[in-house]
Amino acid sequence: MTNLKIGVVGIPGKWSTEVLADEIEAKTGFRMVIDIEKVVADLSTPKVTYQGQCLCELDGIIIKKISQTYSPMVIDRLEILRFVESCGVKVYSKPSEIIRLVDRMSCTISLARAKIPMPKTCITEDHDAAFNTVKEFGEVVLKPLFSTKARGMEVIKADQKESEIRKQLQAFYHTHQFYYIQQKMNLPGHDMGLVFLGGEYQGAYARVANGDSWNTTIHSGGKYAEVKPSQEIIDMAQKAQAQFDLSYTTVDIAETDQGPVCFEVSAFGGFKGAKEGLNLNMAQAYTDYVIQDLQKSDAND
């Protein structure tokens, strides 16, 4: 048992948030789930509080979830935690790194700069260029810049009438104000989540589609299963996550008829896939990792 005070930023009542808080409480005797919507930052004092507790007095904070859905507002919430970090509190993962991932554009650009294989992607605000991209790619997925679990994504096929394609594109643009267009890949009915803790590979699970949806997300009815990726895929995922200084993450990769491709590096990384697919308790492993890192930091001070 240690006397460290470690808070969890997450969604009160949600499984992944509570199971992480449970593990921390079991090892420290301290439990604090922080609903970021109710945090108050007084920069004139300066002080950041949640339910009367000054977050700057904590030893560490683990960011498990910042919102039920992604939006630009998420960045503002992370900026508050970046301020807490400046007070000397260690935050896992670093808010500045998470900011680079919650925006799909930033994540994609970082992966492209590192030459990580991805589906063909076009990013534009030009309506005609978007239409021409659909015709060139054949079948595409329109993706919001801020979303999780395939929410808000739409599929367009190039063999539709031009008027129908343009109508769908314009409706998407009206909502999202940007075109992020990715070629739809032929997947083998599943994709993979490769788990990393402190940059070290832990294992991989598959998300298996239920047959009724074009995507494999659990939100759309997919199921978790164990998978044994090739060394090539593990190396790709290792390189992808290394573009971001993350404490814990999962990397989404799929095998296609054009070879393996990376879809994204997760800003937070889930626990349920590792639990149900691999029988790994990553909430416990993450807690141990954070405690050891904090104790190491104390020893070096």
Side-chain angles (χ1 to χ4, degrees), residues 73-263:
M73 179 177 60
V74 167
I75 294 176
D76 298 325
R77 293 175 176 177
L78 288 164
E79 287 292 352
I80 292 174
L81 293 173
R82 197 161 70 91
F83 181 77
V84 174
E85 187 180 39
S86 74
C87 296
V89 180
K90 296 204 73 171
V91 182
Y92 305 84
S93 296
K94 296 176 182 176
S96 57
E97 294 299 303
I98 296 176
I99 287 172
R100 297 174 58 206
L101 286 165
V102 294
D103 180 345
R104 180 169 277 111
M105 173 90 75
S106 177
C107 178
T108 299
I109 294 298
S110 297
L111 293 176
R113 283 168 57 92
K115 296 180 170 52
I116 305 296
M118 293 184 292
K120 289 182 179 179
T121 304
C122 177
I123 305 167
T124 184
E125 296 178 66
D126 185 272
H127 303 299
D128 289 332
F131 173 78
N132 292 335
T133 297
V134 174
K135 299 300 287 185
E136 177 189 347
F137 287 180
E139 187 174 10
V140 306
V141 182
L142 300 178
K143 298 185 176 183
L145 294 183
F146 294 89
S147 74
T148 60
K149 301 185 185 338
R151 293 183 180 96
M153 295 184 186
E154 299 179 22
V155 175
I156 298 183
K157 295 183 178 181
D159 59 5
Q160 299 177 84
K161 293 180 180 179
E162 178 176 342
S163 60
E164 290 298 317
I165 294 174
R166 289 189 180 275
K167 180 179 179 182
Q168 192 170 349
L169 284 170
Q170 288 167 2
F172 183 87
Y173 183 86
H174 179 74
T175 301
H176 302 288
Q177 302 301 303
F178 224 103
Y179 293 118
Y180 180 108
I181 308 169
Q182 210 159 59
Q183 186 176 46
K184 188 172 181 295
M185 310 297 289
N186 293 321
L187 304 183
H190 72 270
D191 65 357
M192 292 172 277
L194 283 79
V195 183
F196 291 85
L197 177 62
E200 298 295 326
Y201 176 65
Q202 305 295 306
Y205 57 84
R207 285 175 294 253
V208 183
N210 69 356
D212 297 325
S213 174
W214 64 269
N215 68 74
T216 62
T217 65
I218 304 306
H219 178 70
S220 298
K223 302 295 182 184
Y224 293 119
E226 186 176 4
V227 69
K228 300 287 187 182
S230 66
Q231 190 61 48
E232 176 191 9
I233 289 175
I234 294 172
D235 291 344
M236 180 194 296
Q238 186 92 49
K239 184 178 179 182
Q241 65 85 35
Q243 306 310 308
F244 312 92
D245 186 9
L246 300 168
S247 305
Y248 179 71
T249 188
T250 53
V251 182
D252 291 349
I253 289 182
E255 296 174 286
T256 75
D257 50 12
Q258 299 174 38
V261 295
C262 178
F263 287 114

Side-chain angles (χ1 to χ4, degrees), residues 22 31 35 37 40 70 107 127 156 183 195 276 282 291 298:
D22 288 345
R31 183 188 188 91
D35 183 350
E37 293 183 27
V40 179
Y70 286 2
C107 178
H127 303 299
I156 298 183
Q183 186 176 46
V195 183
E276 296 184 6
M282 292 311 301
I291 289 173
D298 286 344

